[in-house]
Amino acid sequence: MFGISKKAITILFGLLALAFAVGAILLFTPQAGQQARGKPVLWVNGKAVYELDLLRLQGNDPLYAANPQGLLKTLVDTHFLEQVILTEALKQDAARIRVGSAEVRKEVDRIREQFGLKEKKAYEQFLNQVGYTDAQLRSEIKTQLQIQKRLEQIRSAAKPTPEEVRFYFEVHQEDYKGEPRLKARQIVVDEAKLAAELLAKAKAGEDFAALAKQYSKVGAEQGGALGAGPGESEPKPVTKVVFPDKVAEAVFAQKGPGLVGPVEAGGRYYLVKVEEYLPAKVPTFEEIKEQVEKDAQAAKGNGALEAYLENLRQKAQVRFAEDSPFSYKNLPVAKVNEQEILLAQVLQPVFSNQQTAALIQQGLGDLAVQFFLPQTLESLIERELLVEAAKKSGKPFIGSKDQIAQAYLLYETRGLTATEEEARRFYAENPALFTIPASAEVTGVVFKAEAKAKAFREAALRGGDLQALAKAQEGTVTEYGTVSPNQLPAVLDRLVFKVKETFPKGPMGEVSEVVKLEDGTFAVLLVKNRKPEVLKPFNEVVEEAKERVILSKRQQKGQALVQELRKAAKIENRLSQVLAELTPKTQEPAKPPTQEAPKEAPAKP
């Protein structure tokens, strides 16, 4: 089901991205004269697309690299040709857009600079490599600029009404919610003892601003007032970014006035006096009207682009040669009330997903078909139901279909709240969400010979210069920095976080035993600043817990809403039948997955 996420920006069915992707491939695809381009394979609005041009495009498509066969070949062909058809239709429609020679020249200059082709000879060699003359390159660039201008023309012409802008703000209010802020003063010193003494003085009632002027290494002239400019001494509202992370966490966890610290961060000690805590809030429409108008304009532009590209494709007159070497089978795979969903609409998000492409290249294309196609079709069906419901609501939703579907869910699940009791229960049931993971500062030294690794380890326990000790034993040093579990290579991760708590200590920190790695080399780890995982106290995360409870409620309500829409709709899902029809008789038809599916799903279309 469609998740509820902040400002979900979609790829408009992927059509826009595909148009540019294919255009980019065409830009650097050698072109020959018509007589050397082979036979026409298809015609788009009467204009022929030739066999050799398609074969060159195929060579740039990773889906063909694994030489797909049978059903998978038919699906890949259909997806590929749909891109070609849309791109050709888009080029034809954009041909009327005016592009001057100066614009083309500027783009040629940019390309020459990007590829290091400033010298005439280098540029001519480049043209020869890609099979272009200068005139052909300029012609292709002109076409690309026409497409860009046409798409921008469509986008910019879509102006939201005042009613749409206000409703957009009503639906997306949470996106504009600011960060919590506070007014405070701080004292920053280099010694823990001094920091403790200053805390005692502040608690005894001494003036904090005066103490800051006398002792603080930062902002002394402003009496430690955060947010104050030169010559000012009164604090102004600031966010977490003014503090080191560790200090910010402690200061904002208090959620009210009072003294915090000393907190050590980066070798310094921070003492903070919070004068006023300002919770995060949603600004009024008038306060951010200009930004909302820009966001609504972008959303309406997305919707206009999506509608334009879909209409362009629907109107395109396409004819295939009888002896075409490609299989194009763009059949209806589902119907939601009166709205059809075609196979190519499902293939686009599936085949555009990197995980799917990787599976196909590994020879696991059948898994992609069996798992990702049904899952993606279900998402498209749900999207269709939500868009239809949004239209029937009479509310001025704007955006692409994805944006409208998600906005409708946001609108219908608004106003939910969470009590502190619910937050506490969620906190108890989901401790991992509120736990600071264990961490350690890790340096690895790798050796080809075990004896050299052992010699280094003995030397490291005595101390000395790390680089010199490693070099003496022909070791390679890798600074991993501060890491948490599952961030190191598997063997090293187990060594640091799972095998034992600490190693023998030397002047350079903890020194691990020698461990053999999977590639046959030997490693020794140096570990500093080891910290165990820590469950944050409930009072520090109560607001986060409430937000998570509300998110959970919204997801549950959204799922229930979709189920209601499903029950009331007439839905026909023919995907399995279509795949069976397209499967060659010598190949087993695709079946639903019977084992655990991959963890990642393709991005929602």
Side-chain angles (χ1 to χ4, degrees):
M1 195 193 82
F2 289 88
I4 302 174
S5 60
K6 286 191 174 183
K7 292 188 178 178
I9 303 302
T10 64
I11 307 182
L12 311 177
F13 256 142
L15 300 182
L16 181 57
L18 291 173
F20 278 122
V22 174
I25 293 170
L26 285 169
L27 181 58
F28 297 109
T29 299
Q31 291 187 341
Q34 181 170 321
Q35 67 278 9
R37 295 165 71 184
K39 298 179 295 185
V41 173
L42 71 152
W43 291 261
V44 180
N45 298 323
K47 184 173 181 180
V49 179
Y50 292 89
E51 183 176 13
L52 292 186
D53 292 335
L54 290 176
L55 290 174
R56 292 187 185 106
L57 283 171
Q58 256 187 306
N60 289 283
D61 191 328
L63 295 175
Y64 283 107
N67 190 28
Q69 300 293 321
L71 171 63
L72 188 60
K73 169 70 162 54
T74 299
L75 299 180
V76 171
D77 278 356
T78 300
H79 170 65
F80 171 73
L81 290 174
E82 190 66 16
Q83 297 178 62
V84 172
I85 292 166
L86 175 65
T87 303
E88 182 57 42
L90 185 55
K91 287 169 68 175
Q92 292 174 21
D93 187 64
R96 55 196 167 91
I97 301 297
R98 181 176 177 79
V99 171
S101 57
E103 295 174 90
V104 174
R105 184 168 58 252
K106 182 179 178 182
E107 186 63 17
V108 171
D109 290 343
R110 186 193 67 78
I111 291 172
R112 291 182 67 169
E113 184 172 347
Q114 179 182 346
F115 288 90
L117 307 171
K118 292 184 179 181
E119 298 296 326
K120 181 180 179 182
K121 185 177 180 180
Y123 178 56
E124 289 174 347
Q125 288 177 340
F126 167 78
L127 289 175
N128 186 57
Q129 287 173 354
V130 299
Y132 272 88
T133 64
D134 180 68
Q136 286 174 327
L137 178 64
R138 290 174 187 272
S139 175
E140 192 61 53
I141 287 174
K142 180 180 178 181
T143 298
Q144 301 304 312
L145 292 174
Q146 287 174 322
I147 289 174
Q148 290 179 25
K149 282 191 171 187
R150 178 62 176 141
L151 295 176
E152 183 52 38
Q153 187 182 76
I154 298 295
R155 179 192 289 275
S156 59
K159 303 291 184 184
T161 66
E163 181 189 20
E164 288 170 336
V165 173
R166 279 196 169 272
F167 185 69
Y168 184 91
F169 174 71
E170 181 182 347
V171 172
H172 299 280
Q173 285 186 57
E174 288 299 311
D175 292 350
Y176 300 100
K177 190 175 183 179
E179 296 180 64
R181 300 176 299 161
L182 49 78
K183 293 181 181 179
R185 297 179 186 271
Q186 69 175 2
I187 299 174
V188 184
V189 295
D190 295 329
E191 300 173 10
K193 183 180 178 183
L194 177 57
E197 292 172 357
L198 292 173
L199 175 62
K201 289 182 179 183
K203 285 184 174 180
E206 289 194 37
D207 185 80
F208 194 91
L211 291 172
K213 283 184 179 180
Q214 184 176 354
Y215 295 102
S216 185
K217 299 288 186 180
V218 178
E221 292 182 1
Q222 289 82 29
L226 292 165
E232 299 177 345
S233 59
E234 288 301 314
K236 294 180 180 177
V238 295
T239 60
K240 291 182 177 181
V241 296
V242 303
F243 300 105
D245 290 346
K246 191 175 178 181
V247 180
E249 188 173 335
V251 171
F252 278 84
Q254 184 168 276
K255 293 184 172 56
L259 285 169
V260 179
V263 179
E264 187 275 328
R268 285 185 157 182
Y269 298 85
Y270 291 75
L271 185 61
V272 181
K273 182 181 181 182
V274 179
E275 296 182 0
E276 183 181 4
Y277 177 80
L278 306 167
K281 68 171 186 175
V282 176
T284 65
F285 174 74
E286 284 68 26
E287 288 175 325
I288 54 168
K289 181 179 178 182
E290 187 175 335
Q291 183 60 51
V292 178
E293 287 175 337
K294 288 180 181 178
D295 294 340
Q297 167 75 56
K300 191 154 187 179
N302 286 344
L305 274 176
E306 182 177 70
Y308 162 72
L309 291 167
E310 288 181 346
N311 185 54
L312 197 64
R313 175 62 188 90
Q314 288 170 4
K315 291 194 304 182
Q317 299 295 316
V318 181
R319 180 168 64 89
F320 287 88
E322 291 184 4
D323 57 349
S324 169
F326 296 89
S327 298
Y328 179 80
K329 304 291 184 182
N330 195 13
L331 304 174
V333 291
K335 194 171 184 181
V336 182
N337 293 326
E338 299 304 315
Q339 184 65 43
E340 280 189 341
I341 298 175
L342 300 178
L343 178 61
Q345 292 174 257
V346 189
L347 295 176
Q348 192 284 315
V350 171
F351 285 154
S352 297
N353 180 265
Q354 291 182 349
Q355 185 182 6
T356 310
L359 287 171
I360 291 174
Q361 289 168 17
Q362 294 166 24
L364 301 173
D366 288 343
L367 179 61
V369 172
Q370 293 171 11
F371 176 69
F372 290 137
L373 279 182
Q375 180 194 61
T376 302
L377 178 55
E378 285 302 312
S379 292
L380 285 173
I381 289 171
E382 290 180 3
R383 183 182 73 174
E384 202 60 50
L385 291 169
L386 291 167
V387 169
E388 190 176 291
K391 289 178 181 178
K392 289 180 179 179
S393 73
K395 300 293 182 182
F397 290 98
I398 54 175
S400 66
K401 289 180 180 178
D402 272 356
Q403 288 175 305
I404 288 174
Q406 292 172 355
Y408 181 71
L409 282 174
L410 283 171
Y411 184 73
E412 290 297 326
T413 59
R414 68 196 185 284
L416 297 174
T417 60
T419 65
E420 186 165 323
E421 180 183 350
E422 289 174 319
R424 190 178 294 278
R425 184 164 58 249
F426 186 89
Y427 170 82
E429 293 172 351
N430 301 276
L433 295 175
F434 306 98
T435 297
I436 302 172
S439 65
E441 187 180 323
V442 179
T443 300
V445 190
V446 177
F447 306 86
K448 291 182 179 179
E450 185 176 15
K452 290 185 178 294
K454 288 182 176 179
F456 167 81
R457 181 176 184 274
E458 293 302 319
L461 284 168
R462 294 191 296 270
D465 180 76
L466 171 61
Q467 295 294 339
L469 293 178
K471 185 176 181 181
Q473 303 299 332
E474 301 176 359
T476 302
V477 178
T478 300
E479 298 282 354
Y480 291 105
T482 301
V483 295
S484 295
N486 302 317
Q487 292 181 348
L488 288 169
V491 174
L492 303 184
D493 183 75
R494 288 196 297 272
L495 189 64
V496 175
F497 294 109
K498 298 180 177 68
V499 173
K500 59 196 308 184
E501 293 185 4
T502 59
F503 307 123
K505 290 186 179 179
M508 290 188 287
E510 299 175 41
V511 183
S512 79
E513 62 265 25
V514 176
V515 60
K516 187 174 182 179
L517 302 180
E518 293 176 351
D519 62 0
T521 58
F522 300 88
V524 176
L525 299 184
L526 303 177
V527 182
K528 296 179 182 177
N529 300 323
R530 187 192 291 272
K531 297 176 183 176
E533 70 174 25
V534 177
L535 177 63
K536 297 178 185 178
F538 176 71
N539 65 331
E540 289 185 11
V541 297
V542 59
E543 294 304 319
E544 179 188 350
K546 285 183 178 180
E547 289 177 4
R548 289 182 178 275
V549 170
I550 292 171
L551 177 61
S552 178
K553 287 183 176 181
R554 296 187 86 158
Q555 289 174 335
Q556 291 173 15
K557 187 173 181 180
Q559 290 170 353
L561 173 61
V562 169
Q563 292 307 312
E564 289 176 11
L565 293 174
R566 276 183 171 277
K567 290 178 182 178
K570 184 178 179 182
I571 299 172
E572 182 184 358
N573 186 333
R574 295 191 64 254
L575 180 62
S576 58
Q577 295 97 304
V578 169
L579 293 179
E581 291 170 16
L582 299 182
T583 300
K585 300 304 180 185
T586 56
Q587 181 184 343
E588 286 293 321
K591 298 176 182 178
T594 56
Q595 53 188 352
E596 185 176 351
K599 292 182 180 178
E600 282 189 42
K604 293 286 193 296

